[in-house]
Amino acid sequence: MNRKWIYSSVMTAAFGLLAGSCGNRLRTVEFEGICADDANGTYGLYNPGRGFRLETALDVAMDKDRPEKQLKELSVKYAADSVSLSQSYFYLTFLADKKLTEADFATMQAYFDELQRQGKKAVLRFAYEKDFMGRSPIGPTAEQILRHLDQLKPILHANKDLILVVQAGLIGAWGEWHSSIHGLENSTEAKRAILEKLLSIVPEEKNIQVRVPEYKNILKDKPELYRRISFHDDFIVIRPDRWDGDMHEGTANFNQIVKESPYLVVDGELPWGFWSVGADPDSPSAGWIIDGMQAARRLFLQHFTSLSVIHNYKEQHSNNRFDESNPPRYSMIVWKETMINEDSLKRYKMPVSSGYFHLKNGKQTERSVFDYIRDHLGYRLELQSLQIPATLKSGEENLLKLTLINRGFATVFGEHSIHPVLIDTTGHVTELAAAPVNPMDWQPSDPADPECTPLLHTIELPCKLPQNIIPGNYRLGLWIADASERLKYDSRYAIRCANGNITWTIADKGRYGINVLTEIEVE
């Protein structure tokens, strides 16, 4: 017998007896996941603050004319990949010995403004040096970096709602904490000073990501700072490699990330495909195709929120123009051809969304590992059921109970506001009071549970209607909005649930992105 049906029936009966004393019985609405042949199953859900991300580079001194140019171009190129994030390098290369000017900040702000116009957020990194192995001609001293950080605090706070996470950056080639011309990566004192300064200027609710755990461990004696430090793996490979930062499975670094990542924003990228395809045959990574299923398992174990869609996919370099009709055989192209099924995932206790491996006619099917990774990076909120009074009454406390499972690799990060809403027959939205709920609590499973059993989260939504609401039929919706005042009424920053029988409605000229749950009568 279906356990979910038993649970729903018992709960409905119990709540029905309770509500019966008030003369308003409850009913239960059941929700389904997204099937493989639903439109959203094919292309994935666009959701803020999670998933594939771009990689853009802004040279603050040199790109003043069109600071948004690369962001616009890459957003078009990867439009089909449900991208809501951009890793944003702000290079201060030619400004190391200078005080940042109003013109410099205007250039950075223009990039943030374009990010908002596109409905995206930043995985932000400041850096100076653009080459390694002694080839970078200039680079900053530790003192110069610290002076710039003091200047950068206001722009970080002004745009904190557009920043998902800040990467430590700053030191060495591409801000990866190696190969700096002043050898800063060899000075624990310099690294500690830069980390502490960065943590003091970045809004305290934001994580700072470092390349490898040993950098985080520099601040182990300061737990209030230590807890904010997360990770970005800039060389995700499965087989051990000399460039992987000793981050492969079985190492202390790997295990530390697994342990600490449930509560942190984790990001990463594969190595460049052109580095391995056609590389020196004596290189350990020559011709490497990174195993898609094992990569998915890595992302799951370490609770990745985001992953670069630029690396090892549709790369475009001066000696390699990407051709859609004949793409190079990079790893993510192979992932699109690598099929998996439900058993593939259950073997590793990985999340399986309801209906994900089924067609709408009930037949089982396979999915590509590329689609699976795209759909499960970060959060994937799948509503299960709703208990609701048969009618809603104005002037009374109508209590709704909603259950959900997070089928993603990670929890929801950032501040959100959770509202029930009513939509009338004209499309007008009545916004009800926010529920006292924090989506960061919606972990996919208990981090201490070795079986990774999906957690069922119950949300109570007090639904007090205004006294002057017009009686009649309404659609009841769930609006999970960004809590920022400038992003709250932008539907692109609202969270869409992963359900096939829930309609996603953009209302009031794009101000609301609403998960429509059911129809309801208001008395």
Side-chain angles (χ1 to χ4, degrees):
M1 186 175 288
N2 188 312
R3 294 183 180 180
K4 184 176 177 182
W5 181 89
I6 295 174
Y7 168 82
S8 298
S9 300
V10 170
M11 295 300 285
T12 301
F15 285 118
L17 289 172
L18 179 64
S21 62
C22 302
N24 192 6
R25 297 185 65 84
L26 291 170
R27 63 185 174 97
T28 300
V29 181
E30 300 282 351
F31 303 113
E32 301 168 357
I34 298 175
C35 293
D37 52 349
D38 282 334
N40 297 322
T42 304
Y43 300 108
L45 296 180
Y46 181 97
N47 259 323
R50 60 150 300 275
F52 283 139
R53 57 130 171 110
L54 305 176
E55 178 184 288
T56 60
L58 171 66
D59 189 309
V60 175
M62 306 300 290
D63 295 336
K64 291 191 182 332
D65 290 340
R66 292 192 64 189
E68 76 288 351
K69 179 176 182 292
Q70 189 182 37
L71 179 58
K72 284 183 174 180
E73 291 174 349
L74 290 178
S75 295
V76 171
K77 182 176 179 179
Y78 293 91
D81 296 303
S82 300
V83 178
S84 67
L85 292 166
S86 178
Q87 185 188 38
S88 307
Y89 284 82
F90 283 6
Y91 277 104
L92 307 176
T93 308
F94 301 105
L95 303 170
D97 60 345
K98 298 177 176 64
K99 183 178 180 179
L100 300 177
T101 67
E102 290 301 317
D104 298 327
F105 287 112
T107 300
M108 291 184 257
Q109 189 59 53
Y111 179 94
F112 280 122
D113 292 345
E114 178 60 29
L115 206 62
Q116 183 183 353
R117 277 192 289 271
Q118 294 192 21
K120 292 181 171 63
K121 294 198 175 191
V123 176
L124 183 62
R125 183 189 301 191
F126 293 94
Y128 294 84
E129 299 171 52
K130 300 180 182 179
D131 212 336
F132 75 141
M133 304 295 282
R135 294 193 290 265
S136 182
I138 54 176
T141 64
E143 291 74 20
Q144 289 168 337
I145 291 173
L146 294 173
R147 282 198 294 270
H148 275 170
L149 288 177
D150 279 328
Q151 284 192 271
L152 289 167
K153 182 174 181 178
I155 197 168
L156 292 175
H157 282 256
N159 294 283
K160 65 180 182 178
D161 52 354
L162 292 170
I163 300 170
L164 175 68
V165 67
V166 177
Q167 298 183 328
L170 300 163
I171 295 175
W174 313 295
E176 289 186 356
W177 287 42
H178 62 77
S179 311
S180 69
I181 66 170
H182 293 293
L184 299 182
E185 69 275 11
N186 300 317
S187 168
T188 300
E189 181 182 358
K191 290 183 289 189
R192 184 183 184 94
I194 289 169
L195 262 184
E196 289 188 359
K197 176 64 75 173
L198 195 57
L199 285 159
S200 74
I201 68 162
V202 170
E204 62 180 277
E205 66 271 22
K206 303 293 179 184
N207 287 167
I208 303 294
Q209 293 177 335
V210 296
R211 171 73 173 83
V212 292
E214 68 183 81
Y215 303 144
K216 174 174 182 171
N217 296 340
I218 292 171
L219 295 181
K220 206 153 194 175
D221 61 332
K222 294 191 174 182
E224 73 284 0
L225 300 180
Y226 180 91
R227 65 176 176 79
R228 289 178 56 198
I229 301 176
S230 186
F231 313 99
H232 62 91
D233 188 344
D234 281 2
F235 201 89
I236 298 174
V237 290
I238 303 306
R239 291 157 33 187
D241 185 272
R242 61 176 175 153
W243 297 109
D244 74 2
D246 204 26
M247 303 266 274
H248 51 274
E249 191 162 0
T251 65
N253 282 345
F254 184 97
N255 293 336
Q256 183 176 342
I257 297 174
V258 170
K259 180 181 178 181
E260 297 178 359
S261 57
Y263 308 100
L264 300 168
V265 182
V266 181
D267 174 72
E269 60 194 38
L270 306 183
W272 289 112
F274 78 95
W275 282 0
S276 56
V277 176
D280 180 347
D282 294 327
S283 167
S285 56
W288 244 8
I289 296 297
I290 297 166
D291 183 277
M293 187 62 216
Q294 290 304 315
R297 179 171 170 269
R298 164 84 62 90
L299 303 175
F300 157 68
L301 289 173
Q302 297 184 335
H303 301 89
F304 271 67
T305 291
S306 56
L307 178 73
S308 171
V309 75
I310 302 291
H311 294 74
N312 235 303
Y313 182 29
K314 296 188 284 190
E315 295 176 17
Q316 184 165 312
H317 304 277
S318 58
N319 60 344
N320 166 34
R321 311 307 291 178
F322 184 80
D323 180 359
E324 289 275 5
S325 62
N326 186 29
R329 298 280 297 168
Y330 293 146
S331 294
M332 286 196 187
I333 299 296
V334 175
W335 292 1
K336 287 191 166 187
E337 303 164 357
T338 303
M339 308 309 290
I340 57 174
N341 55 36
E342 194 166 333
D343 291 338
S344 309
L345 301 174
K346 287 186 174 179
R347 174 184 174 190
Y348 296 117
K349 303 168 185 170
M350 294 168 66
V352 179
S353 297
S354 171
Y356 195 77
F357 290 100
H358 290 81
L359 303 175
K360 286 184 283 188
N361 63 12
K363 291 185 178 179
Q364 289 190 347
T365 188
E366 294 182 320
R367 304 293 300 272
S368 79
V369 71
F370 178 92
D371 286 354
Y372 179 77
I373 289 173
R374 176 200 65 199
D375 295 341
H376 292 82
L377 283 163
Y379 60 86
R380 183 178 175 86
L381 306 182
E382 186 181 281
L383 302 184
Q384 302 297 297
S385 67
L386 169 70
Q387 270 105 32
I388 182 173
T391 60
L392 299 181
K393 297 185 178 181
S394 62
E396 293 187 11
E397 192 72 46
N398 304 277
L399 183 63
L400 316 182
K401 290 199 174 183
L402 188 65
T403 59
L404 67 83
I405 294 175
N406 180 358
R407 304 286 191 186
F409 295 156
T411 192
V412 182
F413 291 99
E415 296 179 319
H416 295 83
S417 182
I418 318 298
H419 297 259
V421 297
L422 292 171
I423 310 172
D424 68 17
T425 54
T426 70
H428 174 74
V429 176
T430 299
E431 177 186 326
L432 304 178
V437 178
N438 185 357
M440 287 183 68
D441 296 332
W442 298 342
Q443 289 283 349
S445 60
D446 185 338
D449 177 13
E451 296 302 312
C452 304
T453 308
L455 287 173
L456 184 71
H457 300 280
T458 299
I459 307 163
E460 293 191 349
L461 297 170
C463 195
K464 189 166 185 177
L465 308 187
Q467 289 282 0
N468 62 348
I469 192 167
I470 299 172
N473 293 321
Y474 290 79
R475 288 177 291 161
L476 173 69
L478 178 69
W479 177 40
I480 309 177
D482 194 292
S484 160
E485 284 305 311
R486 69 168 167 174
L487 304 182
K488 181 174 182 178
Y489 293 103
D490 185 335
S491 61
R492 297 169 303 176
Y493 292 101
I495 293 177
R496 185 174 182 177
C497 296
N499 293 92
N501 61 339
I502 287 178
T503 302
W504 176 249
T505 296
I506 308 298
D508 195 5
K509 299 180 180 178
R511 283 166 52 85
Y512 296 91
I514 299 170
N515 301 279
V516 177
L517 306 177
T518 188
E519 294 186 352
I520 190 73
E521 182 184 353
V522 171
E523 294 182 352

